[in-house]
Amino acid sequence: MSKFRKKGDKKVPGISTASLPDIVFILLFFFMVATVSKEEDLIVEITMPNAEQCARLDDKSLEVYINVGAPVRELQGQYGAEPRIQLNDAIKDIDFLAQYIEEKRQSIKQQAPTPESGKKRSKKMVVSLKVDRDTKLGTLDDIKQELRKLNALKVNYVVNDVAGE
Amino acid sequence: MARRGTPEINAGSMADIAFLLLIFFLVTTTMEKESGMMRLLPELEQVDPEEVNKRNVVDVLVNDQNKILLKGELLELSEVKVRMAEIILNRGANVDWPANVLIQREELVQRLQDADFAAKRADKNNKKTTAKTLRKATLRLKAFDEFGDNVYLKSKHVVSIQSTRGADYNTYIELSDQILLAYKLIREQTGSRKWNKPWRDFNSEQKEMLILMFPPNISEAQTVQGVE
């Protein structure tokens, strides 16, 4: 009797594919969790302007959105057809901006592990302005002025990237 | 063995089901592709904006009719890029256009040493920022040695975009885009002249150097009332 068995002595057992579903499920869960399609329901109509020179933000969790555009048709009776500001899921007056920014700032702060790093983190907050292309600059300027008062100075004009076309 | 186990249910198709689901999610979740233009608003307390010589201010005005005035010159949107590049570079040393200041090599060396010192003493909190500063300082010196002091100048320009309240946001963004494209044009031209190849063939270090040499300086000014 030798230590080594001869080849062909025994059939190689087939690799069990029973664990394959588990692997695929892990992948599936990963994708389901990772792709947070952070889409607020827009109740204002926004066609973003085109631009070539733009960049993507690194950290989405630092972003705070302000949407500006004319209300959708169903809401025009209530809010009029002029561009309005949408914060969270409702159309708000500009006076609510202070409260909104402060709320978001706090939540960004709380995502950090320690209070000091939270403070640092909240300074990195970026206000992303999604503004309809037909909005008048006066409306935008009021918002900018308000943001300056709130010391939220980093703004990001969201545009359609048309580079390479 | 006399007992015979119940035949196993074939789990092979489980994988197929899971794959189907996976593919479904992969296809449906369109990652929101969002890009934007970053700007820094001026601080509110800054009552007296720092004294800038008038020639260094490149003011761009947009009015209610979406007409563009660049340093007092009425231009079409498509003309802005080239004109802006000329003005920012100011190679003809026009006295009404932004001044260029010579850069001293010693100054860059000094800054590199400072950055190096800071990077060596950095703790884990500011490690990233100091490393970044060090890299920038290194590249600036490298760019200086590569291009020389007659190409790598410090421009004192400030682009100030102003508009009336009735101007369109679209024009504003397109204009901002054109201005940024002017910087790109300057970088491309400078690089191509040096290395005799188009921008896309530059390596990332060369691109970084050019970006450091010609950094955008755009000020978010307030809307002006009733400028015609």
Side-chain angles (χ1 to χ4, degrees), chain A residues 65-90:
Chain A
Y65 284 94
I66 297 176
N67 306 302
V68 185
V72 289
R73 192 164 290 164
E74 298 85 65
L75 291 168
Q76 282 191 0
Q78 196 181 345
Y79 295 107
E82 284 300 299
R84 298 290 303 265
I85 303 166
Q86 179 191 345
L87 305 173
N88 284 331
D89 278 321

PDB file of all heavy atoms in Angstrom, chain A residues 65-90:
ATOM      1  N   TYR A  65     -28.997  70.116  -0.639  1.00  0.00           N
ATOM      2  CA  TYR A  65     -29.612  70.538  -1.893  1.00  0.00           C
ATOM      3  C   TYR A  65     -30.603  71.681  -1.721  1.00  0.00           C
ATOM      4  O   TYR A  65     -31.389  71.702  -0.776  1.00  0.00           O
ATOM      5  CB  TYR A  65     -30.341  69.371  -2.552  1.00  0.00           C
ATOM      6  CG  TYR A  65     -29.402  68.400  -3.196  1.00  0.00           C
ATOM      7  CD1 TYR A  65     -28.958  67.287  -2.518  1.00  0.00           C
ATOM      8  CD2 TYR A  65     -28.945  68.633  -4.485  1.00  0.00           C
ATOM      9  CE1 TYR A  65     -28.066  66.396  -3.107  1.00  0.00           C
ATOM     10  CE2 TYR A  65     -28.067  67.752  -5.080  1.00  0.00           C
ATOM     11  CZ  TYR A  65     -27.634  66.647  -4.390  1.00  0.00           C
ATOM     12  OH  TYR A  65     -26.759  65.776  -4.980  1.00  0.00           O
ATOM     13  N   ILE A  66     -30.545  72.587  -2.660  1.00  0.00           N
ATOM     14  CA  ILE A  66     -31.587  73.598  -2.764  1.00  0.00           C
ATOM     15  C   ILE A  66     -32.066  73.568  -4.211  1.00  0.00           C
ATOM     16  O   ILE A  66     -31.266  73.703  -5.139  1.00  0.00           O
ATOM     17  CB  ILE A  66     -31.052  75.002  -2.423  1.00  0.00           C
ATOM     18  CG1 ILE A  66     -30.586  75.057  -0.976  1.00  0.00           C
ATOM     19  CG2 ILE A  66     -32.123  76.062  -2.672  1.00  0.00           C
ATOM     20  CD1 ILE A  66     -29.952  76.368  -0.596  1.00  0.00           C
ATOM     21  N   ASN A  67     -33.322  73.328  -4.404  1.00  0.00           N
ATOM     22  CA  ASN A  67     -33.864  73.269  -5.759  1.00  0.00           C
ATOM     23  C   ASN A  67     -34.653  74.535  -6.056  1.00  0.00           C
ATOM     24  O   ASN A  67     -35.455  74.968  -5.235  1.00  0.00           O
ATOM     25  CB  ASN A  67     -34.777  72.052  -5.909  1.00  0.00           C
ATOM     26  CG  ASN A  67     -34.068  70.770  -5.512  1.00  0.00           C
ATOM     27  OD1 ASN A  67     -33.039  70.436  -6.068  1.00  0.00           O
ATOM     28  ND2 ASN A  67     -34.602  70.076  -4.535  1.00  0.00           N
ATOM     29  N   VAL A  68     -34.401  75.075  -7.221  1.00  0.00           N
ATOM     30  CA  VAL A  68     -35.130  76.280  -7.607  1.00  0.00           C
ATOM     31  C   VAL A  68     -35.700  76.110  -9.007  1.00  0.00           C
ATOM     32  O   VAL A  68     -34.973  75.762  -9.931  1.00  0.00           O
ATOM     33  CB  VAL A  68     -34.209  77.521  -7.588  1.00  0.00           C
ATOM     34  CG1 VAL A  68     -35.005  78.779  -7.881  1.00  0.00           C
ATOM     35  CG2 VAL A  68     -33.501  77.650  -6.252  1.00  0.00           C
ATOM     36  N   GLY A  69     -36.976  76.335  -9.124  1.00  0.00           N
ATOM     37  CA  GLY A  69     -37.593  76.232 -10.433  1.00  0.00           C
ATOM     38  C   GLY A  69     -39.075  76.536 -10.323  1.00  0.00           C
ATOM     39  O   GLY A  69     -39.609  76.693  -9.221  1.00  0.00           O
ATOM     40  N   ALA A  70     -39.738  76.576 -11.461  1.00  0.00           N
ATOM     41  CA  ALA A  70     -41.178  76.821 -11.437  1.00  0.00           C
ATOM     42  C   ALA A  70     -41.881  75.564 -10.916  1.00  0.00           C
ATOM     43  O   ALA A  70     -41.513  74.461 -11.281  1.00  0.00           O
ATOM     44  CB  ALA A  70     -41.665  77.147 -12.837  1.00  0.00           C
ATOM     45  N   PRO A  71     -42.889  75.703 -10.064  1.00  0.00           N
ATOM     46  CA  PRO A  71     -43.617  74.544  -9.550  1.00  0.00           C
ATOM     47  C   PRO A  71     -44.228  73.730 -10.686  1.00  0.00           C
ATOM     48  O   PRO A  71     -44.546  74.274 -11.744  1.00  0.00           O
ATOM     49  CB  PRO A  71     -44.713  75.162  -8.688  1.00  0.00           C
ATOM     50  CG  PRO A  71     -44.199  76.496  -8.312  1.00  0.00           C
ATOM     51  CD  PRO A  71     -43.369  76.958  -9.463  1.00  0.00           C
ATOM     52  N   VAL A  72     -44.399  72.440 -10.448  1.00  0.00           N
ATOM     53  CA  VAL A  72     -45.033  71.600 -11.471  1.00  0.00           C
ATOM     54  C   VAL A  72     -46.475  72.058 -11.666  1.00  0.00           C
ATOM     55  O   VAL A  72     -47.057  72.710 -10.800  1.00  0.00           O
ATOM     56  CB  VAL A  72     -45.005  70.108 -11.099  1.00  0.00           C
ATOM     57  CG1 VAL A  72     -43.610  69.558 -11.202  1.00  0.00           C
ATOM     58  CG2 VAL A  72     -45.596  69.878  -9.726  1.00  0.00           C
ATOM     59  N   ARG A  73     -47.044  71.669 -12.792  1.00  0.00           N
ATOM     60  CA  ARG A  73     -48.337  72.235 -13.185  1.00  0.00           C
ATOM     61  C   ARG A  73     -49.424  72.071 -12.121  1.00  0.00           C
ATOM     62  O   ARG A  73     -50.194  72.982 -11.863  1.00  0.00           O
ATOM     63  CB  ARG A  73     -48.788  71.613 -14.511  1.00  0.00           C
ATOM     64  CG  ARG A  73     -49.964  72.350 -15.111  1.00  0.00           C
ATOM     65  CD  ARG A  73     -50.158  72.005 -16.559  1.00  0.00           C
ATOM     66  NE  ARG A  73     -49.125  72.537 -17.413  1.00  0.00           N
ATOM     67  CZ  ARG A  73     -48.909  72.115 -18.649  1.00  0.00           C
ATOM     68  NH1 ARG A  73     -49.609  71.133 -19.142  1.00  0.00           N
ATOM     69  NH2 ARG A  73     -47.975  72.670 -19.391  1.00  0.00           N
ATOM     70  N   GLU A  74     -49.439  70.910 -11.487  1.00  0.00           N
ATOM     71  CA  GLU A  74     -50.509  70.650 -10.513  1.00  0.00           C
ATOM     72  C   GLU A  74     -50.458  71.619  -9.341  1.00  0.00           C
ATOM     73  O   GLU A  74     -51.456  71.865  -8.676  1.00  0.00           O
ATOM     74  CB  GLU A  74     -50.410  69.222  -9.959  1.00  0.00           C
ATOM     75  CG  GLU A  74     -50.556  68.113 -10.975  1.00  0.00           C
ATOM     76  CD  GLU A  74     -49.242  67.796 -11.654  1.00  0.00           C
ATOM     77  OE1 GLU A  74     -48.329  67.329 -10.976  1.00  0.00           O
ATOM     78  OE2 GLU A  74     -49.117  68.050 -12.870  1.00  0.00           O
ATOM     79  N   LEU A  75     -49.251  72.122  -9.069  1.00  0.00           N
ATOM     80  CA  LEU A  75     -49.105  72.977  -7.897  1.00  0.00           C
ATOM     81  C   LEU A  75     -49.095  74.460  -8.248  1.00  0.00           C
ATOM     82  O   LEU A  75     -48.962  75.315  -7.395  1.00  0.00           O
ATOM     83  CB  LEU A  75     -47.816  72.630  -7.156  1.00  0.00           C
ATOM     84  CG  LEU A  75     -47.817  71.256  -6.476  1.00  0.00           C
ATOM     85  CD1 LEU A  75     -46.430  70.885  -6.036  1.00  0.00           C
ATOM     86  CD2 LEU A  75     -48.769  71.249  -5.299  1.00  0.00           C
ATOM     87  N   GLN A  76     -49.235  74.740  -9.547  1.00  0.00           N
ATOM     88  CA  GLN A  76     -49.121  76.137  -9.941  1.00  0.00           C
ATOM     89  C   GLN A  76     -50.267  76.985  -9.423  1.00  0.00           C
ATOM     90  O   GLN A  76     -50.114  78.178  -9.187  1.00  0.00           O
ATOM     91  CB  GLN A  76     -48.993  76.243 -11.460  1.00  0.00           C
ATOM     92  CG  GLN A  76     -47.598  75.897 -11.915  1.00  0.00           C
ATOM     93  CD  GLN A  76     -47.335  76.221 -13.358  1.00  0.00           C
ATOM     94  OE1 GLN A  76     -48.216  76.712 -14.050  1.00  0.00           O
ATOM     95  NE2 GLN A  76     -46.134  75.958 -13.800  1.00  0.00           N
ATOM     96  N   GLY A  77     -51.433  76.338  -9.244  1.00  0.00           N
ATOM     97  CA  GLY A  77     -52.552  77.076  -8.695  1.00  0.00           C
ATOM     98  C   GLY A  77     -52.250  77.572  -7.291  1.00  0.00           C
ATOM     99  O   GLY A  77     -52.632  78.672  -6.899  1.00  0.00           O
ATOM    100  N   GLN A  78     -51.526  76.757  -6.571  1.00  0.00           N
ATOM    101  CA  GLN A  78     -51.221  77.072  -5.186  1.00  0.00           C
ATOM    102  C   GLN A  78     -50.030  78.018  -5.059  1.00  0.00           C
ATOM    103  O   GLN A  78     -50.022  78.937  -4.243  1.00  0.00           O
ATOM    104  CB  GLN A  78     -50.924  75.765  -4.457  1.00  0.00           C
ATOM    105  CG  GLN A  78     -50.964  75.878  -2.959  1.00  0.00           C
ATOM    106  CD  GLN A  78     -50.639  74.525  -2.341  1.00  0.00           C
ATOM    107  OE1 GLN A  78     -50.652  73.481  -3.008  1.00  0.00           O
ATOM    108  NE2 GLN A  78     -50.347  74.533  -1.058  1.00  0.00           N
ATOM    109  N   TYR A  79     -49.001  77.758  -5.884  1.00  0.00           N
ATOM    110  CA  TYR A  79     -47.749  78.486  -5.684  1.00  0.00           C
ATOM    111  C   TYR A  79     -47.408  79.469  -6.794  1.00  0.00           C
ATOM    112  O   TYR A  79     -46.429  80.185  -6.708  1.00  0.00           O
ATOM    113  CB  TYR A  79     -46.592  77.500  -5.542  1.00  0.00           C
ATOM    114  CG  TYR A  79     -46.686  76.624  -4.315  1.00  0.00           C
ATOM    115  CD1 TYR A  79     -47.009  75.285  -4.421  1.00  0.00           C
ATOM    116  CD2 TYR A  79     -46.435  77.156  -3.047  1.00  0.00           C
ATOM    117  CE1 TYR A  79     -47.083  74.481  -3.293  1.00  0.00           C
ATOM    118  CE2 TYR A  79     -46.509  76.365  -1.930  1.00  0.00           C
ATOM    119  CZ  TYR A  79     -46.838  75.021  -2.045  1.00  0.00           C
ATOM    120  OH  TYR A  79     -46.902  74.238  -0.942  1.00  0.00           O
ATOM    121  N   GLY A  80     -48.195  79.464  -7.858  1.00  0.00           N
ATOM    122  CA  GLY A  80     -47.880  80.362  -8.952  1.00  0.00           C
ATOM    123  C   GLY A  80     -46.872  79.747  -9.896  1.00  0.00           C
ATOM    124  O   GLY A  80     -46.351  78.664  -9.659  1.00  0.00           O
ATOM    125  N   ALA A  81     -46.603  80.429 -11.004  1.00  0.00           N
ATOM    126  CA  ALA A  81     -45.737  79.872 -12.029  1.00  0.00           C
ATOM    127  C   ALA A  81     -44.314  80.411 -11.954  1.00  0.00           C
ATOM    128  O   ALA A  81     -43.455  80.033 -12.734  1.00  0.00           O
ATOM    129  CB  ALA A  81     -46.327  80.143 -13.405  1.00  0.00           C
ATOM    130  N   GLU A  82     -44.095  81.311 -11.012  1.00  0.00           N
ATOM    131  CA  GLU A  82     -42.746  81.871 -10.891  1.00  0.00           C
ATOM    132  C   GLU A  82     -41.835  80.875 -10.180  1.00  0.00           C
ATOM    133  O   GLU A  82     -42.311  80.061  -9.387  1.00  0.00           O
ATOM    134  CB  GLU A  82     -42.808  83.181 -10.086  1.00  0.00           C
ATOM    135  CG  GLU A  82     -43.341  84.355 -10.876  1.00  0.00           C
ATOM    136  CD  GLU A  82     -42.491  84.660 -12.099  1.00  0.00           C
ATOM    137  OE1 GLU A  82     -41.294  84.978 -11.901  1.00  0.00           O
ATOM    138  OE2 GLU A  82     -43.002  84.568 -13.225  1.00  0.00           O
ATOM    139  N   PRO A  83     -40.530  80.911 -10.464  1.00  0.00           N
ATOM    140  CA  PRO A  83     -39.611  79.998  -9.790  1.00  0.00           C
ATOM    141  C   PRO A  83     -39.685  80.109  -8.265  1.00  0.00           C
ATOM    142  O   PRO A  83     -39.747  81.206  -7.721  1.00  0.00           O
ATOM    143  CB  PRO A  83     -38.241  80.463 -10.279  1.00  0.00           C
ATOM    144  CG  PRO A  83     -38.508  81.056 -11.593  1.00  0.00           C
ATOM    145  CD  PRO A  83     -39.855  81.698 -11.490  1.00  0.00           C
ATOM    146  N   ARG A  84     -39.740  78.952  -7.624  1.00  0.00           N
ATOM    147  CA  ARG A  84     -39.790  78.909  -6.164  1.00  0.00           C
ATOM    148  C   ARG A  84     -38.703  77.980  -5.642  1.00  0.00           C
ATOM    149  O   ARG A  84     -38.098  77.239  -6.397  1.00  0.00           O
ATOM    150  CB  ARG A  84     -41.159  78.383  -5.704  1.00  0.00           C
ATOM    151  CG  ARG A  84     -42.332  79.234  -6.106  1.00  0.00           C
ATOM    152  CD  ARG A  84     -42.349  80.546  -5.342  1.00  0.00           C
ATOM    153  NE  ARG A  84     -42.379  80.362  -3.910  1.00  0.00           N
ATOM    154  CZ  ARG A  84     -43.489  80.361  -3.177  1.00  0.00           C
ATOM    155  NH1 ARG A  84     -44.661  80.512  -3.754  1.00  0.00           N
ATOM    156  NH2 ARG A  84     -43.419  80.200  -1.875  1.00  0.00           N
ATOM    157  N   ILE A  85     -38.515  78.017  -4.345  1.00  0.00           N
ATOM    158  CA  ILE A  85     -37.475  77.202  -3.721  1.00  0.00           C
ATOM    159  C   ILE A  85     -38.092  75.945  -3.128  1.00  0.00           C
ATOM    160  O   ILE A  85     -39.083  76.025  -2.420  1.00  0.00           O
ATOM    161  CB  ILE A  85     -36.774  77.995  -2.605  1.00  0.00           C
ATOM    162  CG1 ILE A  85     -36.200  79.286  -3.157  1.00  0.00           C
ATOM    163  CG2 ILE A  85     -35.685  77.167  -1.952  1.00  0.00           C
ATOM    164  CD1 ILE A  85     -35.794  80.270  -2.101  1.00  0.00           C
ATOM    165  N   GLN A  86     -37.500  74.820  -3.452  1.00  0.00           N
ATOM    166  CA  GLN A  86     -37.942  73.576  -2.834  1.00  0.00           C
ATOM    167  C   GLN A  86     -36.873  73.084  -1.863  1.00  0.00           C
ATOM    168  O   GLN A  86     -35.724  72.848  -2.222  1.00  0.00           O
ATOM    169  CB  GLN A  86     -38.189  72.500  -3.891  1.00  0.00           C
ATOM    170  CG  GLN A  86     -38.635  71.195  -3.255  1.00  0.00           C
ATOM    171  CD  GLN A  86     -38.623  70.039  -4.224  1.00  0.00           C
ATOM    172  OE1 GLN A  86     -38.543  70.217  -5.435  1.00  0.00           O
ATOM    173  NE2 GLN A  86     -38.695  68.840  -3.684  1.00  0.00           N
ATOM    174  N   LEU A  87     -37.271  72.915  -0.603  1.00  0.00           N
ATOM    175  CA  LEU A  87     -36.375  72.370   0.414  1.00  0.00           C
ATOM    176  C   LEU A  87     -37.008  71.092   0.928  1.00  0.00           C
ATOM    177  O   LEU A  87     -38.204  71.059   1.202  1.00  0.00           O
ATOM    178  CB  LEU A  87     -36.203  73.355   1.563  1.00  0.00           C
ATOM    179  CG  LEU A  87     -35.738  74.763   1.188  1.00  0.00           C
ATOM    180  CD1 LEU A  87     -35.785  75.662   2.409  1.00  0.00           C
ATOM    181  CD2 LEU A  87     -34.344  74.742   0.622  1.00  0.00           C
ATOM    182  N   ASN A  88     -36.200  70.053   1.091  1.00  0.00           N
ATOM    183  CA  ASN A  88     -36.724  68.733   1.423  1.00  0.00           C
ATOM    184  C   ASN A  88     -37.848  68.366   0.468  1.00  0.00           C
ATOM    185  O   ASN A  88     -37.627  68.274  -0.671  1.00  0.00           O
ATOM    186  CB  ASN A  88     -37.154  68.647   2.871  1.00  0.00           C
ATOM    187  CG  ASN A  88     -35.944  68.539   3.776  1.00  0.00           C
ATOM    188  OD1 ASN A  88     -34.921  68.017   3.363  1.00  0.00           O
ATOM    189  ND2 ASN A  88     -36.049  69.054   4.984  1.00  0.00           N
ATOM    190  N   ASP A  89     -39.058  68.228   0.868  1.00  0.00           N
ATOM    191  CA  ASP A  89     -40.032  67.833  -0.144  1.00  0.00           C
ATOM    192  C   ASP A  89     -41.123  68.860  -0.353  1.00  0.00           C
ATOM    193  O   ASP A  89     -42.188  68.550  -0.871  1.00  0.00           O
ATOM    194  CB  ASP A  89     -40.651  66.477   0.217  1.00  0.00           C
ATOM    195  CG  ASP A  89     -39.726  65.354  -0.211  1.00  0.00           C
ATOM    196  OD1 ASP A  89     -39.131  65.480  -1.288  1.00  0.00           O
ATOM    197  OD2 ASP A  89     -39.590  64.381   0.532  1.00  0.00           O
ATOM    198  N   ALA A  90     -40.843  70.086   0.058  1.00  0.00           N
ATOM    199  CA  ALA A  90     -41.904  71.074  -0.039  1.00  0.00           C
ATOM    200  C   ALA A  90     -41.379  72.397  -0.566  1.00  0.00           C
ATOM    201  O   ALA A  90     -40.197  72.700  -0.476  1.00  0.00           O
ATOM    202  CB  ALA A  90     -42.537  71.274   1.340  1.00  0.00           C
TER     203      ALA A  90
END
